Structures are given as C-alpha cells and as structure tokens.
Amino acid sequence: TQFRKMKVYAFVTAGVSSNALRMSRDTGPFYEPGTINIIIMTNMQLSDRAMTRAIITATEAKTAALEDLDIRSSYTPLKHSATGTGTDNIIVVQGTGVHIDNAGGHTKMGELISKAVYAGVKQAIFNQNNLIAGRSVFERLKERKISVFSLAGNVECGCMNRENISVSRLGARVEHILLNPEYASFIEASLALSDNYEKGLVRDLGLYEQWCCNVAGKISGNKIMKTIPMITDKKIPQVLKMALNAVFTGAFEQLKHEH
C-alpha cells in the first residue's frame, strides 16, 4: 500500500484449517500448526514506539480479515469465528527513510499497515486453503462440522417411518433445496444471526421464528404454522437449529406430498 512517498509491504503466509481459534473462548491443547506469519516492511524509519504499535495494528487487521472471511475456530466452530491461530507471528522491519513515531489506527502509517496486512492475510488464506468469502453454503456448514446427510440420519421425530421416507431421499432433497440461492442465503443469514445470538447481541427470536415458518412453507408449497423439530442435536446453536428445522420441514413436506 502507498500514500504519497510512504510505502508499506506485508509479506504473509497463512494456514487456518487445523488450529484456528478464538482467543478468550478456546482452550490451548497443541495441534500440528497451521499459522499466520506476517512481515511488515516500510520505506519509512519506524521508532521503537511505532514498531510496537504496528504489531497491535497488524493483529487487529489480521483478525478483521479472519472475521470477514468467517474463518471458524477449530475448537468451537459451531459458535465462534477465529481471531487467529495458536502460532501466529509478526515481524516489523524498522526501515531507513523519514522518521515515524506512531503506527496506530488514527495515523496514515497505521492505515497503510492495516490495509496491507488485511489484503495479505486474505490472499494467503486463499492461496493455502482456497477459502473466499463467497464460498458455498455447503462449505460453510462443513466448516461447522455439519453434514446434511448426517443430520437426516439422526432425525428422531418418527415422521420418517410413518411416511416411509428414507434418510437418503430426505438428505438429497435438502441438498437440492440448498442449491437454490434463495434458501442458501437464508442459511447464510442464519449463520450470521446465530453468531450474534450466541454473543448476546440478539435476544428475541420471535420474528425469526416466523421467517423460518415462512421458508418451510415456501419450500413445501403449503402454509406451515410450526416447523417440525427434526434436528435435535444439543450441540447445534438454537438459531442454526431453527434454520435447519425449517429447511428439513419443507423438504419433508415436499416428499410427503409426492406419495
């Protein structure tokens, strides 16, 4: 990145598929490391104070990139996005140009460092793990350790046997439904809402529950007043469970009326 004669380069390597974590939430048992390594270089001469502050600036930019990509914690992927990996490192090279004494967020040097690091982290994650913000809903669910067919195989409502609907048919129908961008976006919105609900930023799910019924009804072609509790896994957060129940209910009602 550059502003007038001021230049900043960020050299970044990144791997986030094995030990990404959310600081303050996850525990620290050792995994074989993927890591994010960042080297910051500039044509300005950074003071000791500026180099120290540059580490904070770069760390915040790195975490912003991870959150904007929705990189999940390897330990608690259902509830937490990652803030880094357990082995991240940052090196700041002093430079030899004009003396700079501050690299915080309100300074031009801080701005350039943050932009360079943010772009570098996103590009490195793409190069190493092939992850982009616009990846499919199936990938987003897989990163949370959720499989549509596993969920279908664990349905306990008894409705499957009554209607003689197989696990494979239900799983295949749900996957087909999620190929529709409208329903994929519903799940993607639910993933974001789920994270905020778990943080306590959203408290009332009444309107969201109605949205789930509307989605189930649109999928099935019939009005749905209440979704069927087909997903009962207690590990799945409440909001995400509601969303999955909506899609599974719609799929089940579709198959039931095809007999």
Side-chain angles (χ1 to χ4, degrees), residues 30 48 50 62 70 125 130 143 204 226 257:
F30 181 76
D48 290 349
K62 173 201 71 176
D70 190 32
I125 289 173
N130 200 34
E143 290 159 12
D204 192 320
K226 189 173 181 62
H257 288 95

Side-chain angles (χ1 to χ4, degrees), residues 119-141:
V121 168
K122 290 183 74 172
Q123 185 62 50
I125 289 173
F126 172 74
N127 291 345
Q128 178 66 27
N129 301 121
N130 200 34
L131 294 176
I132 60 172
R135 58 197 183 276
S136 76
V137 69
F138 298 106
E139 291 178 276
R140 303 276 301 281
L141 290 173

Side-chain angles (χ1 to χ4, degrees), residues 54-112:
I55 293 175
I56 298 174
T57 298
T59 300
E60 291 178 357
K62 173 201 71 176
T63 298
L66 294 178
E67 292 197 333
D68 286 353
L69 286 171
D70 190 32
I71 302 300
R72 306 306 295 177
S73 163
S74 298
Y75 299 89
T76 52
L78 280 169
K79 292 187 177 182
H80 299 134
S81 59
T83 55
T85 81
T87 54
D88 293 351
N89 292 284
I90 298 174
I91 295 174
V92 181
V93 179
Q94 185 177 35
T96 58
V98 176
H99 182 80
I100 299 290
D101 195 43
N102 198 327
H106 294 296
T107 68
K108 186 56 67 175
M109 176 57 68
E111 176 192 336
L112 296 181

Side-chain angles (χ1 to χ4, degrees), residues 13-15 21 37 63 95 109-110 113 116 125 130 158 204 215 247:
T13 65
L21 54 80
N37 292 316
T63 298
M109 176 57 68
I113 289 172
I125 289 173
N130 200 34
D204 192 320
V215 167
V247 175

Side-chain angles (χ1 to χ4, degrees), residues 41-61:
M41 301 181 69
T42 175
N43 63 341
M44 301 287 105
Q45 183 180 23
L46 302 181
S47 67
D48 290 349
R49 174 174 181 258
M51 287 192 291
T52 301
R53 190 61 181 81
I55 293 175
I56 298 174
T57 298
T59 300
E60 291 178 357

Side-chain angles (χ1 to χ4, degrees), residues 177 180 182-183 211-224 246 250 254:
I177 288 168
N180 184 319
E182 180 179 356
Y183 301 123
W211 187 21
C212 289
C213 290
N214 291 343
V215 167
K218 187 168 184 179
I219 292 171
S220 69
N222 297 291
K223 188 170 185 178
I224 301 290
Q254 267 192 4

